[in-house]
Amino acid sequence: MTLDDVDIIGAVQARAFVDDPLQVWAIPDDGVRLALLQEMFTVLGRAVHVPNGDAYTDATCSSAAFWLAPGHHDDPPKPDAARELGALAAAIGTDVMQRLATAHEAMHAAHPTEPHWYLQGIGTDPSARRQGLASALIQVITDVADRDQLGCYLESTKAENVPLYEHHGFRITGTIDVPDNGPTMWSMWRDPSIASS
């Protein structure tokens, strides 16, 4: 992804996640969820994902994946990003921010400690699903992880997405139950493949 893609991808990700159980729980108001998600994904793309250098999209900007490289999972935001994220937090409101923080804490507690690539998020525009776009964006990094003999990790917020990740070598390692009547997520780990010679 580049900064030129951010506005398009923000809208795509909002449509991809508008019915996601975590986002429905975090932003229960159907009337504002799509707009808030679009603002959130756009700001995150501009302030965090693109600057981190491991955000990917397809040629049509119909799908996007946001990876964090080993050793960079807890990097603090740069000063400009921190200002944008602070403004975003004010825009989306205290209740939503509190629910997102609760989910983040639960996810962080379950996060593996060994070096790995982290698939922080992936989404495809509903109109472009089942064309292999998400698979291609997963494979971009799983190929790198295999080359470097590193694991990969993700949390699936939808049970129906688990088979896609299993197809790419991920396996369920546990569940994450978000407090305060939050959703259940599935933690998934992928061991690196060893190429046969």
Side-chain angles (χ1 to χ4, degrees):
M1 278 180 60
T2 70
L3 288 174
D4 290 340
D5 303 322
V6 164
D7 289 335
I8 296 169
I9 293 298
V12 164
Q13 294 304 291
R15 290 191 294 272
F17 282 90
V18 73
D19 65 345
D20 179 84
L22 178 60
Q23 306 308 329
V24 171
W25 172 76
I27 310 172
D29 185 345
D30 291 342
V32 301
R33 187 182 312 117
L34 185 66
L36 286 181
L37 287 175
Q38 182 167 343
E39 184 171 0
M40 184 171 71
F41 280 114
T42 301
V43 170
L44 288 172
R46 183 174 56 247
V48 178
H49 297 313
V50 170
N52 283 350
D54 291 307
Y56 298 88
T57 188
D58 67 289
T60 65
C61 289
S62 297
S63 188
F66 311 106
W67 290 90
L68 288 175
H72 295 279
H73 303 167
D74 294 316
D75 286 355
K78 296 176 176 70
D80 287 349
R83 281 191 290 277
E84 283 207 66
L85 294 171
L88 173 65
I92 65 178
T94 304
D95 290 345
V96 172
M97 283 304 300
Q98 182 56 54
R99 283 189 286 272
L100 290 172
T102 296
H104 183 266
E105 288 168 11
M107 293 159 71
H108 187 74
H111 207 100
T113 56
E114 58 264 50
H116 63 278
W117 282 92
Y118 175 37
L119 181 54
Q120 192 174 32
I122 185 168
T124 301
D125 202 322
S127 65
R129 289 178 180 162
R130 307 210 182 285
Q131 298 177 24
L133 298 176
S135 286
L137 297 179
I138 292 170
Q139 191 172 343
V140 166
I141 294 300
T142 57
D143 285 351
V144 172
D146 289 347
R147 180 197 69 201
D148 297 339
Q149 289 297 285
L150 288 166
C152 297
Y153 176 76
L154 62 83
E155 301 99 359
S156 181
T157 54
K158 282 186 173 179
E160 57 263 38
N161 291 341
V162 167
L164 168 67
Y165 302 129
E166 289 176 333
H167 175 75
H168 289 278
F170 288 86
R171 59 183 169 77
I172 293 174
T173 56
T175 56
I176 301 167
D177 294 312
V178 178
D180 302 328
N181 297 313
T184 295
M185 293 181 271
W186 291 265
S187 54
M188 302 189 74
W189 176 262
R190 180 186 185 275
D191 288 317
S193 297
I194 301 173
S196 56
S197 50

